[in-house]
C-alpha cells in the first residue's frame, strides 16, 4: 500500500512543473482493476479520483497542501481488510443488472412466440393439453365411424338376404304359374312365350342388382363424407390451438413460429457513473410446430460503455406442458479489457390455479475485468402474469430478484452483495395481424431501496 502511495505522489511531483503552463495530466493505476487512467486537468479545474472504490473531488492545490495524502490514508485504513470490497459490489451489481436484463428479454421473446406466456396457453376444457385432446377426439371419431360402418354393413347384409329370399319366392311362384299354364296350354309357342317372359324377368333382376350396386356406391359416398367431417373436426381443433397460442386470430394457422424484434432502450443511471445510455436490442425467436421447443438469438449494444453482448437461448417444454426449462449463454465485451461469459438455467412453472408463472434459476459468470479475473454465481427467482386489456392491447407484469452468494474478484470471496430487485411492465399494441408495437418500463433496485437505474424500452415485433 505504501508503495502505491509513493508511486502516486512521485507521479504528481513529476507533473507539478507543468502547472505553470496552465494544464497538466494526471495518470494513476486503479488498484482494483489495475487499469491505468489519465486525466487532463487545468489550473482552475477539479478532478474526481477513485481510490479503492471511494470517489473524492480535488483541485490542483489539494495535491500540494496534503489534502490528497490525508484522504488516501483514511481510505486505506478503512479498507485494510478488503480494500476492493466496494468496487467488487459495484461490479457485481452491474454484471447482474446486465444479465437479468438479457434474461428478461429472452423470457419476453419466448412468451411472444408462445402466445403471451412461458407455457402454451391452449388447453382443453378439462385441463388436458390440446395435443392430447385432439388425439382423443380423433380416436372417438374413428370409433364412431367404425361402428357406423359395421352397422351399415350388417343392415346391408340383412337387406340382401331378404332380397334373395324374395327372389327365391318369386321364382317358385313363377314356376308354379308356368306349370299351370303348361297344363292348360301345351303348345310350344306358349312355352316359348313363357321363356321370353323369364328372360324379361332376368333383365328386371339385373336392374335390381344395378340398383344394389347404386346403394353400395351411395354407402361409399357417405363414408367419404364422414372422413371429411372427421378431418374438418381435427383441423378445427388444430386451428383453435393455433389461434389460442397466437392470441386468438381467426385466420391464424401457422403464425407465431418465427418472431423478429427490435428495440431501443434508454437507461438513466442513478449513480452518475455512466450518465444516460442508449441500448439497441435485436432478436429472432422461433418455435417448432408442437410449441415444445423454442430457440433464438439476441444481441445488444450499449453506448458510453461501448458494451456488446450476444446471447443464444433455447427452451424445452415437457409433453404435459407444465414446465419450461430455459438455457442461455451470453458473451459480453467492451472490445478492450472486459470479457465475460454467462451461462443461465431457468425453470418456469404454473401455480395459483395456473394464473401465475413462477421462475427460478441460476447464472454463472466467468471472465476478466481489466487485468483481474471475475467469477460470479447468482440465483434468480420471480413471478409473471399477463393480462388482456382490449382485443388489441395486452400487458404483462414480471418481477425478478437476483442474489449473488459468491463473487471472486481481487482477493477473497464476497458473500453479501445484497439483493437486486428488477420489476418489469410490458405493453403490446396490435397494429396489424403481423406487427405489434411494444413499450416497456423497468429498473434495477438494491434491497436497501436505492435505484441503480431506470429503463424505458420501445420497439416492435414482427411475425413471419
Amino acid at each position: 500500500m505504501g508503495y502505491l502511495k509513493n508511486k502516486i505522489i512521485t507521479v504528481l511531483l513529476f507533473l507539478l512543473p507543468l502547472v505553470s503552463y496552465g494544464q497538466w495530466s494526471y495518470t494513476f493505476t486503479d488498484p482494483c482493476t489495475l487499469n491505468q487512467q489519465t486525466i487532463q486537468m487545468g489550473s482552475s479545474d477539479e478532478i474526481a479520483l477513485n481510490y479503492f472504490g471511494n470517489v473524492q473531488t480535488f483541485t490542483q492545490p489539494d495535491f500540494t497542501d496534503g489534502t490528497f495524502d490525508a484522504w488516501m490514508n483514511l481510505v486505506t485504513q478503512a479498507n485494510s481488510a478488503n480494500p476492493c470490497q466496494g468496487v467488487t459490489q459495484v461490479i457485481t451489481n452491474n454484471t447482474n443488472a446486465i444479465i437479468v436484463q438479457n434474461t428478461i428479454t429472452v423470457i419476453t421473446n419466448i412468451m411472444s412466440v408462445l402466445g403471451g406466456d412461458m407455457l402454451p396457453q391452449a388447453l382443453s376444457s378439462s385441463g388436458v393439453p390440446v395435443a392430447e385432446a385432439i388425439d382423443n377426439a380423433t380416436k372417438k371419431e374413428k370409433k364412431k365411424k367404425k361402428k357406423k360402418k359395421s352397422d351399415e354393413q350388417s343392415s346391408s347384409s340383412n337387406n340382401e338376404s331378404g332380397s334373395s329370399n324374395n327372389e327365391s319366392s318369386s321364382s317358385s311362384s313363377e314356376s308354379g304359374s308356368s306349370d299351370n299354364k303348361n297344363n292348360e296350354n301345351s303348345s310350344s309357342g306358349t312355352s316359348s312365350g313363357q321363356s321370353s317372359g323369364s328372360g324379361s324377368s332376368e333383365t328386371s333382376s339385373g336392374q335390381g342388382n344395378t340398383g344394389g350396386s347404386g346403394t353400395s356406391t351411395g354407402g361409399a359416398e357417405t363414408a367419404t363424407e364422414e372422413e371429411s367431417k372427421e378431418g374438418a373436426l381435427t383441423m378445427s381443433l388444430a386451428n383453435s390451438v393455433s389461434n389460442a397460442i397466437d392470441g386468438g386470430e381467426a385466420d391464424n394457422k401457422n403464425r407465431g413460429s418465427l418472431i423478429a424484434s427490435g428495440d431501443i432502450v434508454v437507461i438513466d443511471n442513478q449513480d452518475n457513473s455512466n450518465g444516460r445510455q442508449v441500448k439497441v436490442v435485436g432478436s429472432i425467436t422461433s418455435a417448432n410446430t408442437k410449441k415444445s421447443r423454442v430457440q433464438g438469438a439476441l444481441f445488444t449494444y450499449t453506448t458510453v460503455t461501448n458494451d456488446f453482448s450476444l446471447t443464444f437461448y433455447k427452451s424445452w417444454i415437457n409433453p404435459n406442458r407444465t414446465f419450461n426449462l430455459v438455457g442461455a449463454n451470453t458473451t459480453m465485451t467492451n472490445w478492450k479489457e472486459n470479457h465475460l461469459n454467462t451461462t443461465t438455467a431457468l425453470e418456469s412453472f404454473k401455480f395459483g390455479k395456473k394464473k401465475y408463472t413462477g421462475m427460478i434459476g441460476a447464472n454463472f459468470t466467468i471472465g476478466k475485468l481489466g487485468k483481474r479475473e471475475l467469477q460470479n454465481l447468482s440465483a434468480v427467482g420471480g413471478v409473471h402474469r399477463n393480462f388482456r386489456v382490449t382485443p388489441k392491447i395486452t400487458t404483462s407484469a414480471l418481477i425478478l430478484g437476483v442474489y449473488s452468494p459468491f463473487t471472486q474478484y481481487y482477493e477473497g470471496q464476497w458473500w453479501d452483495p445484497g439483493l437486486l430487485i428488477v420489476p418489469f411492465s410490458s405493453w403490446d399494441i396490435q397494429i396489424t395481424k403481423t406487427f405489434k408495437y411494444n413499450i416497456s418500463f423497468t429498473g434495477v433496485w438494491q434491497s436497501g431501496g436505492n435505484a441503480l437505474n431506470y429503463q424505458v424500452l420501445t420497439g416492435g415485433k414482427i411475425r413471419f
Side-chain angles (χ1 to χ4, degrees):
M1 195 65 63
Y3 172 78
L4 178 63
K5 174 182 175 182
N6 293 334
K7 185 176 180 181
I8 294 176
I9 293 175
T10 301
V11 172
L12 292 177
L13 292 174
F14 177 78
L15 296 174
L16 283 178
L18 299 177
V19 175
S20 59
Y21 291 98
Q23 187 172 1
W24 54 281
S25 63
Y26 174 55
T27 301
F28 70 99
T29 300
D30 189 303
C32 295
T33 63
L34 299 181
N35 294 330
Q36 283 194 339
Q37 300 183 20
T38 301
I39 300 176
Q40 301 292 330
M41 183 176 181
S43 58
S44 60
D45 293 338
E46 292 183 343
I47 182 172
L49 298 179
N50 186 323
Y51 183 60
F52 289 151
N54 293 265
V55 180
Q56 182 66 37
T57 302
F58 299 96
T59 60
Q60 191 173 339
D62 291 333
F63 293 99
T64 58
D65 62 11
T67 302
F68 172 74
D69 291 340
W71 171 77
M72 188 169 57
N73 289 331
L74 181 64
V75 173
T76 300
Q77 293 174 6
N79 294 275
S80 58
N82 190 354
C84 289
Q85 175 176 315
V87 174
T88 304
Q89 183 168 353
V90 171
I91 289 173
T92 301
N93 286 342
N94 289 341
T95 303
N96 284 336
I98 294 172
I99 291 170
V100 77
Q101 292 298 337
N102 283 353
T103 301
I104 287 177
T105 305
V106 169
I107 289 172
T108 54
N109 285 348
I110 293 174
M111 288 177 179
S112 296
V113 83
L114 293 180
D117 212 335
M118 284 295 286
L119 293 167
Q121 297 173 322
L123 295 174
S124 67
S125 58
S126 61
V128 179
V130 171
E132 187 177 342
I134 291 177
D135 290 340
N136 293 340
T138 304
K139 287 177 182 177
K140 287 180 180 179
E141 285 301 311
K142 284 183 177 179
K143 285 181 180 179
K144 287 181 181 179
K145 174 191 165 187
K146 199 171 182 180
K147 186 177 179 182
K148 191 167 184 179
K149 278 187 176 180
S150 178
D151 292 343
E152 287 177 354
Q153 288 175 356
S154 176
S155 174
S156 174
S157 177
N158 291 335
N159 289 337
E160 287 176 1
S161 176
S163 174
S164 177
N165 292 335
N166 289 336
E167 287 176 0
S168 176
S169 175
S170 174
S171 223
S172 298
S173 177
E174 288 175 0
S175 176
S177 175
S178 177
D179 290 342
N180 291 333
K181 288 180 180 179
N182 285 335
N183 290 334
E184 292 174 1
N185 304 307
S186 50
S187 69
S188 62
T190 305
S191 180
S192 176
Q194 287 299 326
S195 181
S196 174
S198 177
S200 175
S201 178
E202 284 174 3
T203 303
S204 176
S205 176
Q207 291 173 352
N209 288 338
T210 304
S213 176
T215 305
S216 296
T217 304
E221 289 173 357
T222 305
T224 305
E225 213 174 294
E226 290 299 323
E227 287 174 358
S228 300
K229 287 180 181 179
E230 179 192 343
L233 173 65
T234 306
M235 284 301 297
S236 176
L237 285 170
N239 290 344
S240 67
V241 174
S242 179
N243 293 339
I245 288 172
D246 193 59
E249 285 114 350
D251 63 342
N252 189 0
K253 295 182 179 180
N254 296 315
R255 292 179 193 162
S257 60
L258 182 64
I259 291 181
S261 66
D263 305 296
I264 295 177
V265 187
V266 177
I267 305 172
D268 188 7
N269 295 289
Q270 297 302 293
D271 59 1
N272 295 320
S273 59
N274 295 313
R276 182 165 293 177
Q277 297 173 282
V278 175
K279 181 166 68 174
V280 179
V281 182
S283 66
I284 186 165
T285 308
S286 65
N288 62 0
T289 306
K290 295 181 180 180
K291 308 294 180 183
S292 60
R293 298 288 183 273
V294 180
Q295 57 191 357
L298 161 73
F299 77 87
T300 68
Y301 173 75
T302 308
T303 62
V304 181
T305 54
N306 198 33
D307 292 327
F308 173 84
S309 74
L310 178 63
T311 303
F312 295 99
Y313 52 92
K314 188 170 184 176
S315 75
W316 297 265
I317 303 169
N318 70 337
N320 294 327
R321 301 189 178 189
T322 53
F323 293 95
N324 185 353
L325 175 63
V326 178
N329 185 267
T330 302
T331 300
M332 295 179 286
T333 181
N334 68 346
W335 310 104
K336 294 180 180 179
E337 306 93 355
N338 303 337
H339 310 282
L340 301 173
N341 185 270
T342 300
T343 300
T344 300
L346 185 73
E347 182 73 83
S348 62
F349 52 90
K350 287 288 189 179
F351 70 97
K353 297 182 179 179
K354 297 188 177 181
K355 292 182 178 180
Y356 301 92
T357 301
M359 304 174 192
I360 187 168
N363 305 302
F364 180 70
T365 301
I366 187 169
K368 296 187 72 174
L369 286 178
K371 296 181 180 180
R372 296 193 184 277
E373 293 184 355
L374 170 71
Q375 294 184 35
N376 176 44
L377 176 66
S378 61
V380 58
V383 63
H384 165 264
R385 185 176 179 183
N386 54 8
F387 307 89
R388 182 172 289 278
V389 181
T390 70
K392 290 186 176 293
I393 300 176
T394 57
T395 180
S396 62
L398 171 66
I399 184 168
L400 291 177
V402 186
Y403 178 76
S404 291
F406 170 81
T407 300
Q408 187 167 359
Y409 184 74
Y410 185 70
E411 60 184 25
Q413 297 175 353
W414 179 243
W415 293 90
D416 190 21
L419 178 68
L420 295 183
I421 305 297
V422 185
F424 177 81
S425 175
S426 177
W427 295 76
D428 280 335
I429 303 172
Q430 183 110 25
I431 305 299
T432 68
K433 292 181 179 179
T434 59
F435 177 75
K436 286 184 179 180
Y437 171 74
N438 173 267
I439 183 167
S440 303
F441 306 91
T442 184
V444 182
W445 276 263
Q446 287 182 293
S447 54
N450 298 326
L452 298 183
N453 63 56
Y454 300 100
Q455 300 185 27
V456 177
L457 178 151
T458 182
K461 300 175 183 177
I462 301 176
R463 294 182 181 273
F464 293 95

